[in-house]
Coordinates of all heavy atoms in Angstrom, one line a residue:
A143 N -9.3 3.8 0.9 CA -8.8 2.7 0.3 C -9.4 1.3 0.8 O -9.2 0.2 0.2 CB -7.3 2.6 0.3
G144 N -10.0 1.5 2.0 CA -10.5 0.2 2.6 C -9.5 -0.7 3.3 O -9.7 -1.9 3.2
V145 N -8.3 -0.1 3.7 CA -7.3 -0.9 4.3 C -6.9 -0.3 5.6 O -7.4 0.8 6.0 CB -6.0 -0.9 3.4 CG1 -6.5 -1.6 2.0 CG2 -5.6 0.6 3.1
S146 N -6.0 -0.9 6.4 CA -5.6 -0.4 7.7 C -4.6 0.7 7.4 O -4.0 0.9 6.3 CB -5.0 -1.5 8.5 OG -3.7 -2.0 7.8
E147 N -4.5 1.5 8.4 CA -3.5 2.6 8.3 C -2.1 2.1 8.1 O -1.3 2.6 7.2 CB -3.6 3.5 9.5 CG -2.7 4.8 9.4 CD -3.0 5.8 10.6 OE1 -4.0 5.6 11.3 OE2 -2.1 6.6 10.7
M148 N -1.7 0.9 8.7 CA -0.5 0.4 8.6 C -0.2 -0.1 7.2 O 0.9 0.0 6.5 CB -0.1 -0.7 9.6 CG 1.1 -1.4 9.5 SD 1.5 -2.7 10.8 CE 1.3 -1.7 12.2
T149 N -1.2 -0.7 6.5 CA -1.1 -1.2 5.1 C -0.9 0.0 4.1 O -0.1 0.0 3.3 CB -2.4 -2.0 4.8 OG1 -2.5 -3.2 5.6 CG2 -2.3 -2.4 3.3
A150 N -1.7 1.0 4.5 CA -1.6 2.3 3.6 C -0.1 2.9 3.7 O 0.4 3.2 2.8 CB -2.6 3.2 4.1
S151 N 0.3 2.8 4.9 CA 1.7 3.3 5.1 C 2.7 2.5 4.4 O 3.6 3.1 3.7 CB 2.1 3.4 6.7 OG 3.3 3.9 6.8
R152 N 2.6 1.2 4.4 CA 3.5 0.4 3.8 C 3.4 0.5 2.2 O 4.3 0.4 1.5 CB 3.3 -1.1 4.1 CG 3.7 -1.5 5.6 CD 3.3 -2.9 6.0 NE 3.9 -3.3 7.3 CZ 3.4 -4.2 8.1 NH1 2.5 -5.1 7.5 NH2 3.9 -4.5 9.2
A153 N 2.1 0.6 1.8 CA 1.9 0.8 0.3 C 2.5 2.1 -0.1 O 3.2 2.1 -1.2 CB 0.5 0.9 0.1
M154 N 2.4 3.2 0.6 CA 3.1 4.5 0.2 C 4.6 4.4 0.1 O 5.2 5.0 -0.5 CB 2.6 5.6 1.1 CG 1.1 5.9 1.1 SD 0.5 6.7 -0.5 CE 1.4 8.2 -0.4
R155 N 5.1 3.5 1.0 CA 6.6 3.4 1.0 C 7.1 2.3 0.1 O 8.3 2.2 -0.2 CB 7.0 2.9 2.4 CG 6.7 4.0 3.6 CD 7.6 3.6 4.7 NE 7.5 2.3 5.2 CZ 6.6 1.7 6.1 NH1 5.8 2.6 6.6 NH2 6.6 0.6 6.4
G156 N 6.1 1.6 -0.7 CA 6.5 0.6 -1.6 C 7.0 -0.7 -1.0 O 7.9 -1.3 -1.6
A157 N 6.5 -1.0 0.2 CA 7.0 -2.2 0.9 C 6.6 -3.5 0.2 O 5.5 -3.5 -0.6 CB 6.3 -2.2 2.4
Q158 N 7.6 -4.5 0.2 CA 7.5 -5.7 -0.6 C 6.2 -6.6 -0.1 O 5.8 -7.4 -0.9 CB 8.6 -6.4 -0.8 CG 9.8 -5.7 -1.5 CD 11.1 -6.5 -1.5 OE1 11.2 -7.6 -1.0 NE2 12.0 -6.0 -2.3
D159 N 5.9 -6.4 1.0 CA 4.8 -7.3 1.7 C 3.3 -6.8 1.3 O 2.3 -7.3 1.8 CB 4.8 -7.5 3.1 CG 4.8 -6.2 3.9 OD1 4.9 -5.1 3.3 OD2 4.7 -6.2 5.1
V160 N 3.2 -5.7 0.5 CA 2.0 -5.3 0.1 C 1.7 -5.5 -1.4 O 2.7 -5.4 -2.3 CB 1.9 -3.7 0.4 CG1 0.6 -3.1 -0.3 CG2 2.1 -3.3 1.7
S161 N 0.6 -6.0 -1.7 CA 0.3 -6.5 -3.1 C 0.4 -5.4 -4.0 O 0.1 -4.1 -3.7 CB -1.1 -7.2 -3.2 OG -2.1 -6.3 -3.1
E162 N 0.7 -5.6 -5.3 CA 0.8 -4.5 -6.3 C -0.5 -3.9 -6.5 O -0.6 -2.7 -6.7 CB 1.3 -5.0 -7.6 CG 1.4 -4.0 -8.8 CD 2.5 -3.1 -8.5 OE1 3.4 -3.3 -7.6 OE2 2.6 -2.1 -9.2
A163 N -1.6 -4.6 -6.5 CA -3.0 -4.1 -6.7 C -3.3 -3.1 -5.5 O -3.8 -2.0 -5.8 CB -4.0 -5.2 -6.8
T164 N -3.0 -3.5 -4.3 CA -3.2 -2.5 -3.1 C -2.3 -1.3 -3.1 O -2.8 -0.2 -3.0 CB -2.9 -3.3 -1.8 OG1 -3.8 -4.5 -1.7 CG2 -3.1 -2.3 -0.6
R165 N -1.1 -1.5 -3.6 CA -0.2 -0.3 -3.6 C -0.7 0.6 -4.6 O -0.7 1.9 -4.4 CB 1.3 -0.8 -4.0 CG 2.3 0.4 -4.1 CD 3.6 -0.1 -4.7 NE 3.4 -0.5 -6.1 CZ 3.3 0.4 -7.1 NH1 3.4 1.6 -6.9 NH2 3.3 -0.1 -8.4
Q166 N -1.1 0.1 -5.9 CA -1.5 1.0 -6.9 C -2.9 1.7 -6.4 O -3.1 2.9 -6.8 CB -1.8 0.2 -8.2 CG -0.5 -0.3 -8.9 CD -0.8 -0.9 -10.2 OE1 -2.0 -0.9 -10.6 NE2 0.2 -1.4 -10.9
K167 N -3.7 1.0 -5.7 CA -5.1 1.6 -5.3 C -4.7 2.6 -4.3 O -5.4 3.8 -4.4 CB -5.8 0.5 -4.7 CG -7.2 0.9 -4.3 CD -8.1 -0.1 -3.6 CE -9.4 0.4 -3.1 NZ -10.3 -0.7 -2.4
V168 N -3.9 2.4 -3.3 CA -3.6 3.5 -2.4 C -2.9 4.7 -3.0 O -3.3 5.8 -2.8 CB -2.7 2.9 -1.2 CG1 -2.2 4.0 -0.3 CG2 -3.4 1.8 -0.4
E169 N -2.0 4.5 -3.9 CA -1.2 5.5 -4.5 C -2.2 6.5 -5.3 O -2.1 7.6 -5.4 CB 0.0 5.0 -5.2 CG 1.0 4.6 -4.5 CD 2.2 4.0 -5.3 OE1 2.1 3.9 -6.6 OE2 3.4 3.9 -4.7
Q170 N -3.2 5.7 -6.1 CA -4.0 6.5 -6.9 C -5.1 7.3 -6.1 O -5.3 8.4 -6.4 CB -4.8 5.5 -7.8 CG -5.7 6.2 -8.8 CD -5.0 7.1 -9.8 OE1 -4.0 6.6 -10.3 NE2 -5.4 8.4 -10.0

């Protein structure tokens, strides 16, 4: 996904400090 492991972890948990675009990219 081209992000840090911490960002990926937050995206997978649905954390609010991760943008919607990043969350969708990581989940996909």
Side-chain angles (χ1 to χ4, degrees):
V145 298
S146 69
E147 189 172 345
M148 182 175 293
T149 298
S151 175
R152 288 174 176 167
M154 294 294 292
R155 296 198 310 269
Q158 294 183 353
D159 59 347
V160 177
S161 71
E162 181 65 14
T164 299
R165 183 188 66 77
Q166 290 184 4
K167 181 179 181 181
V168 170
E169 288 182 347
Q170 186 60 52

